[in-house]
Amino acid sequence: MLITAFGGYSFSWADDGFMAVVWSAVMVQIGAAVTEELVFRGLALQALEQLWGSRAAIVITGLFFGVAHLGAPDANAWSALAIALEAGVMLGAAFLWRRSIWFVVGLHFAWNTTEQLLGIPVSGHASEGLFTVDVHGPAVLTGGGFGLEAALVSVVIGVLLAAAMFVLARRGGRLPPRRSARHTQTG
């Protein structure tokens, strides 16, 4: 983990009961991933894509995804923008690439569960993890109390992954053709 290499996080074993912590993380995060992905990618992205195209759908759902996380503990304008870019846009691009809501649910679940098991707050929500994390350094490096999603490293990696998945979606023919701005009239 890059942030740990830069001294942002240090971990120690929490020893809070391995199975209980893993079970709790799995149950909480599967619920969050399924709910959020059905709403944002399963319904909103696809409906907006039909209306205004893939790019507009990704931008709009990404922004709403960020705004939806403003109510989380330690959320602020930066954390909302960060999560909009690295998660909202990336998960939208993943959906366009694979055209599978369950693929996106799996990515979302894996990200959140990994964070929680590492003891890092997930979108501002601190939960028991397998490790206790000590945060050192500026919030731009660590994400501060909001967690890894508000770290600049996560945003850059998420945007790069989104760009790659968008290219793969285009190459794979999984994007609808662009709509022409000009309408021809017959008469």
Side-chain angles (χ1 to χ4, degrees), residues 14-89:
D15 201 24
D16 288 331
F18 181 84
M19 287 308 295
V21 170
V22 170
W23 179 254
S24 174
V26 167
M27 291 298 104
V28 167
Q29 299 309 333
I30 202 157
V34 169
T35 303
E36 290 180 5
E37 292 313 317
L38 286 176
V39 169
F40 287 97
R41 266 55 73 180
L43 297 173
L45 185 132
Q46 292 180 73
L48 292 169
E49 185 179 33
Q50 291 288 317
L51 291 172
W52 297 313
S54 303
R55 289 182 180 167
I58 283 184
V59 169
I60 293 166
T61 57
L63 288 173
F64 278 121
F65 194 71
V67 168
H69 286 80
L70 273 172
D74 293 313
N76 55 39
W78 165 249
S79 66
L81 177 61
I83 207 164
L85 290 170
E86 103 229 339
V89 172

Side-chain angles (χ1 to χ4, degrees), residues 17-177:
F18 181 84
M19 287 308 295
V21 170
V22 170
W23 179 254
S24 174
V26 167
M27 291 298 104
V28 167
Q29 299 309 333
I30 202 157
V34 169
T35 303
E36 290 180 5
E37 292 313 317
L38 286 176
V39 169
F40 287 97
R41 266 55 73 180
L43 297 173
L45 185 132
Q46 292 180 73
L48 292 169
E49 185 179 33
Q50 291 288 317
L51 291 172
W52 297 313
S54 303
R55 289 182 180 167
I58 283 184
V59 169
I60 293 166
T61 57
L63 288 173
F64 278 121
F65 194 71
V67 168
H69 286 80
L70 273 172
D74 293 313
N76 55 39
W78 165 249
S79 66
L81 177 61
I83 207 164
L85 290 170
E86 103 229 339
V89 172
M90 183 191 66
L91 292 168
F95 178 80
L96 295 177
W97 172 40
R98 304 303 302 171
R99 292 291 174 177
S100 167
I101 194 66
W102 302 114
F103 176 72
V104 181
V105 166
L107 288 176
H108 194 149
F109 169 77
W111 171 266
N112 284 2
T113 305
T114 300
E115 269 188 296
Q116 184 173 342
L117 290 176
L118 288 173
I120 300 170
V122 180
S123 303
H125 299 280
S127 300
E128 265 189 317
L130 296 175
F131 299 91
T132 301
V133 65
D134 290 316
V135 180
H136 315 281
V140 71
L141 173 65
T142 65
F146 191 77
L148 192 54
E149 289 113 336
L152 185 58
V153 170
S154 300
V155 174
V156 170
I157 291 170
V159 168
L160 291 174
L161 287 171
M165 286 187 269
F166 197 75
V167 167
L168 290 169
R170 171 122 359 251
R171 285 185 184 160
R174 292 187 179 100
L175 296 180

